[in-house]
Amino acid sequence: AKADTGSGWTAAKKKLEDIVGASPSLDNRAALARARTIIAFEFGDGLADAKAAVDQLAGKGGYDAQIAAAYLALAQNEAAGAKHAADAVLGGHKDDPAALYVEGEAQLLNGDSKGAQQQLKAAFDKDPRPLYGVALARAYAASSKWEDAIGTLDRVLAGSPEHPAAIIARGMVLAAAGRIAPGAAAGTDIHTQLMKVIAEGRKPLAEQAHGVSPAQMAFAYLSLAQVDFARGDIAAARNDVSAAAQIGVEDQRFAEEAVDTLYLIGDLAAARNIAETAMATWPTSRRVHIAIAEILLAQGKASDALDILGKSDVTSLPIGQAVRADAKLATGDTDGARVDYEAALKKLPNLERALVGRAWLDIAEGNLDDAKKRVEPHYSEKGSSAALTTVYAAILRRSGELDKAKTLLEKVVAGPPSGDLVRAQLELARLDRDMGDLRGARSAYADA
């Protein structure tokens, strides 16, 4: 199981089944339950068997049983239950990597990415297992700490080349961080790696080198969709999402990622349909609540977005506060937006959505120095998101750095269509106008 792959954990489970068959002691059954719940959470396989194994232990079985209960709650997306179970594990095993890991995963499920980073880093430092590193990278990404996320995944892949979970996560992180652009080598490389994961997943398990579960294959397609969109291949991205759906994974985490992916590639109608279905199935999903608000906001329905956000506790999360701030700003509530942006940034100083929104407020108020201090440290020459690049270019334009701003904006407008691209086209039009290039300005306005 040390390889943290589907094949490795399946083999470990089979050996534990043989052991339980020979000696069905409580400790042996607890060890098997732990393996089954890990497979259910990490690979999306055998949830019913995992639940039955935990239920049969009836709370007995020592540390393995405690760990199994935490993994089961995580696999079932039970945020409160996972935190309660993980706290119980950590309470008696504060230095154990597995205890630190389930605590970090529980915090991440509950929206506390900052706390999750602390626990998951401690787990990964003590035991550099691939899945611990992948989880840590996801926690960094949730806070827009892109360098840390990418560096962690690079470390995982250096020790475990071609690890499916790490490749899937890397595709999503690179796309979100803005490191992939049409024609860029980074996009081609990760595209090739994801295709290898998918090709392996199509083979019988016995013929697979790593063991790619159906759930992993579905997530690999979603990662590929995000990568293909960033590369500018919109048709391929839509086909990737369709291929992911055809695998037939009935899982909350998959539904949430599918909605976010459809929103990203601009298929708002499909994103909303799936989000509403997911909300009916998993009404406590805060990620779906936020996604519906984002979709409504993109459709120009800011008041409806605010209404959705007010029906759950999502605005206790930094990302929820940032989305609500965007909606308030769209309705003209500048003061309310400022309060929400600053509350989100107080919790997560790197959260990109809040940084970008707060910087646009600074620009509107003429506070260019504040805007530049806020954004410039987060911009990377290696590549940044369209939203961050556009607001940074807007600051540079108003500060008189026209050539630099133009270079940045031209990179954005060469990318795939999105709301951020439209904003970049408007900024480029204004910049061309300021530079006296009226023909270029007219063309950019027309593109927008």
Side-chain angles (χ1 to χ4, degrees), residues 140-394:
Y140 282 138
S143 301
S144 305
K145 297 176 74 172
W146 306 120
E147 293 293 344
D148 290 333
I150 295 168
T152 301
L153 290 170
D154 287 347
R155 181 181 166 191
V156 171
L157 289 167
S160 303
E162 298 186 349
H163 192 278
I167 290 172
I168 292 167
R170 195 167 191 273
M172 293 177 175
V173 169
L174 288 174
R179 300 298 169 84
I180 298 173
T188 302
D189 291 345
I190 191 62
H191 181 276
T192 300
Q193 292 170 341
L194 285 165
M195 290 300 294
K196 287 182 179 179
V197 171
I198 291 167
E200 181 175 350
R202 293 195 182 109
K203 298 177 183 178
L205 183 61
E207 298 177 16
Q208 294 185 31
H210 305 95
V212 178
S213 70
Q216 282 188 307
M217 193 169 171
F219 276 102
Y221 269 119
L222 293 182
S223 181
L224 185 64
Q226 295 172 26
V227 168
D228 279 338
F229 179 76
R231 296 171 75 213
D233 194 340
I234 314 303
R238 289 175 176 162
N239 289 336
D240 296 335
V241 177
S242 178
Q246 289 172 14
I247 294 173
V249 175
E250 296 290 336
D251 175 76
Q252 179 178 329
R253 286 174 290 172
F254 173 74
E256 292 168 343
E257 192 66 46
V259 170
D260 286 348
T261 303
L262 286 166
Y263 169 77
L264 170 72
I265 67 177
D267 197 341
L268 300 182
R272 186 168 179 181
N273 286 338
I274 295 177
E276 289 174 350
T277 300
M279 183 58 65
T281 308
W282 301 288
T284 60
S285 172
R286 293 185 290 186
R287 189 170 169 184
V288 172
H289 270 97
I290 292 172
I292 292 175
E294 289 179 306
I295 294 164
L296 289 168
L297 189 55
Q299 292 175 328
K301 301 174 182 178
S303 296
D304 291 343
L306 287 171
D307 184 55
I308 285 289
L309 291 168
K311 292 180 178 178
S312 72
D313 66 342
V314 295
T315 50
S316 64
L317 306 178
I319 185 61
Q321 291 171 324
V323 173
R324 184 172 66 180
D326 287 347
K328 286 181 178 179
L329 192 59
T331 62
D333 182 5
T334 303
D335 292 337
R338 183 184 299 105
V339 169
D340 275 344
Y341 284 137
E342 291 179 353
L345 290 170
K346 185 175 182 180
K347 295 176 184 176
L348 291 179
N350 296 287
L351 186 62
E352 194 166 288
R353 185 155 194 153
L355 278 168
V356 169
R358 187 65 183 86
W360 281 114
L361 270 183
D362 285 333
I363 291 172
E365 295 165 352
N367 299 323
L368 295 182
D369 288 343
D370 290 343
K372 192 170 186 178
K373 289 176 184 177
R374 195 183 304 280
V375 171
E376 193 167 54
H378 298 275
Y379 176 76
S380 173
E381 294 293 340
K382 300 175 186 177
S384 290
S385 70
L388 187 72
T389 303
T390 300
V391 75
Y392 185 41

Side-chain angles (χ1 to χ4, degrees), residues 101-120:
Y101 175 72
V102 294
E103 178 70 18
E105 285 281 22
Q107 288 176 324
L108 194 56
L109 180 59
N110 279 273
D112 182 7
S113 60
K114 187 175 182 180
Q117 289 165 30
Q118 180 180 350
Q119 302 293 349
L120 293 169

Side-chain angles (χ1 to χ4, degrees), residues 1 4 23 39 134 137 165 167 235 260 266 268 273 324 396 423 428:
D4 270 349
S23 175
I39 291 171
V134 171
I167 290 172
D260 286 348
L268 300 182
N273 286 338
R324 184 172 66 180
L396 295 174
R423 202 163 200 173
L428 182 59

